[in-house]
Amino acid sequence: RRVGPPGPSAAAAHFRPLGDPHNGPDVLAHLLCLCPNHHVLFDLGAFTIEEDLALDGHPGTLKTTPKHAISSDFIAYHRTHYGTK
Protein backbone atom coordinates (compact mmCIF):
# COMPACT_ATOMS: atom_id res chain seq x y z
CA ARG A 1 0.00 0.00 0.00
CA ARG A 2 1.29 3.39 -0.93
CA VAL A 3 0.02 6.66 0.53
CA GLY A 4 -0.12 9.67 -1.75
CA PRO A 5 -1.89 13.04 -1.79
CA PRO A 6 -5.32 11.49 -2.52
CA GLY A 7 -4.75 8.74 0.11
CA PRO A 8 -3.56 5.13 0.11
CA SER A 9 -3.51 3.11 -3.10
CA ALA A 10 -3.07 -0.55 -3.92
CA ALA A 11 -3.08 -2.66 -7.06
CA ALA A 12 -4.12 -6.26 -7.72
CA ALA A 13 -1.13 -8.17 -9.10
CA HIS A 14 -1.55 -11.58 -10.74
CA PHE A 15 0.96 -14.40 -10.30
CA ARG A 16 0.27 -15.62 -13.82
CA PRO A 17 -0.46 -12.84 -16.35
CA LEU A 18 -4.01 -12.75 -17.69
CA GLY A 19 -3.23 -12.41 -21.41
CA ASP A 20 -1.40 -14.59 -23.93
CA PRO A 21 0.72 -16.62 -23.58
CA HIS A 22 0.12 -17.20 -19.84
CA ASN A 23 -3.72 -17.00 -19.73
CA GLY A 24 -4.00 -16.77 -15.95
CA PRO A 25 -7.47 -16.68 -14.41
CA ASP A 26 -8.92 -13.59 -12.74
CA VAL A 27 -9.75 -15.23 -9.39
CA LEU A 28 -9.01 -14.21 -5.79
CA ALA A 29 -6.54 -17.07 -5.14
CA HIS A 30 -4.45 -15.66 -7.99
CA LEU A 31 -4.13 -12.08 -6.70
CA LEU A 32 -1.75 -10.11 -4.50
CA CYS A 33 -2.56 -6.68 -3.13
CA LEU A 34 0.57 -4.57 -3.71
CA CYS A 35 1.43 -0.91 -3.92
CA PRO A 36 1.82 0.26 -7.54
CA ASN A 37 5.64 0.25 -7.32
CA HIS A 38 5.84 -3.32 -6.02
CA HIS A 39 3.23 -4.42 -8.55
CA VAL A 40 5.53 -3.34 -11.40
CA LEU A 41 8.55 -5.00 -9.74
CA PHE A 42 6.58 -8.23 -9.24
CA ASP A 43 5.38 -8.23 -12.87
CA LEU A 44 8.97 -7.76 -14.06
CA GLY A 45 10.23 -10.62 -11.89
CA ALA A 46 12.37 -8.38 -9.67
CA PHE A 47 11.11 -10.53 -6.79
CA THR A 48 9.18 -13.76 -6.41
CA ILE A 49 7.67 -15.65 -3.49
CA GLU A 50 9.09 -18.85 -2.04
CA GLU A 51 6.98 -21.77 -0.78
CA ASP A 52 7.43 -20.54 2.81
CA LEU A 53 6.18 -17.07 1.69
CA ALA A 54 9.64 -15.50 1.99
CA LEU A 55 10.39 -13.00 -0.75
CA ASP A 56 13.19 -13.84 -3.19
CA GLY A 57 14.81 -10.66 -4.50
CA HIS A 58 13.31 -8.37 -1.87
CA PRO A 59 13.57 -8.32 1.92
CA GLY A 60 10.61 -9.55 3.92
CA THR A 61 7.87 -12.14 3.94
CA LEU A 62 4.46 -12.09 2.31
CA LYS A 63 1.75 -11.27 4.83
CA THR A 64 -1.45 -13.23 4.38
CA THR A 65 -4.91 -13.34 5.89
CA PRO A 66 -7.21 -16.38 6.26
CA LYS A 67 -9.87 -14.49 4.28
CA HIS A 68 -7.61 -14.49 1.21
CA ALA A 69 -6.09 -17.88 0.49
CA ILE A 70 -3.41 -17.78 -2.21
CA SER A 71 -2.90 -20.83 -4.41
CA SER A 72 0.54 -22.40 -4.05
CA ASP A 73 0.25 -23.44 -7.72
CA PHE A 74 0.15 -19.79 -8.80
CA ILE A 75 3.07 -18.91 -6.52
CA ALA A 76 5.08 -21.77 -8.09
CA TYR A 77 4.11 -20.62 -11.61
CA HIS A 78 5.41 -17.10 -11.00
CA ARG A 79 8.62 -18.41 -9.42
CA THR A 80 9.21 -20.80 -12.35
CA HIS A 81 8.61 -18.16 -15.04
CA TYR A 82 10.00 -15.06 -13.34
CA GLY A 83 12.37 -16.31 -10.64
CA THR A 84 16.04 -15.50 -10.53
CA LYS A 85 17.21 -18.99 -9.52
Side-chain angles (χ1 to χ4, degrees):
R1 188 175 92 164
R2 184 171 178 85
V3 178
S9 67
H14 295 85
F15 289 96
R16 182 175 171 175
L18 298 179
D20 287 333
H22 302 278
N23 299 313
D26 197 13
V27 297
L28 187 59
H30 182 228
L31 298 174
L32 285 178
C33 184
L34 300 173
C35 78
N37 291 340
H38 284 102
H39 184 177
V40 170
L41 292 172
F42 186 73
D43 283 353
L44 294 174
F47 70 95
T48 57
I49 301 168
E50 297 295 332
E51 290 179 31
D52 65 358
L53 303 183
L55 304 181
D56 179 15
H58 195 280
T61 301
L62 182 66
K63 291 177 178 40
T64 60
T65 177
K67 295 179 183 179
H68 181 183
I70 297 172
S71 169
S72 59
D73 291 340
F74 292 129
I75 292 173
Y77 186 93
H78 187 271
R79 191 172 49 251
T80 298
H81 288 82
Y82 297 96
T84 57
K85 295 179 182 177

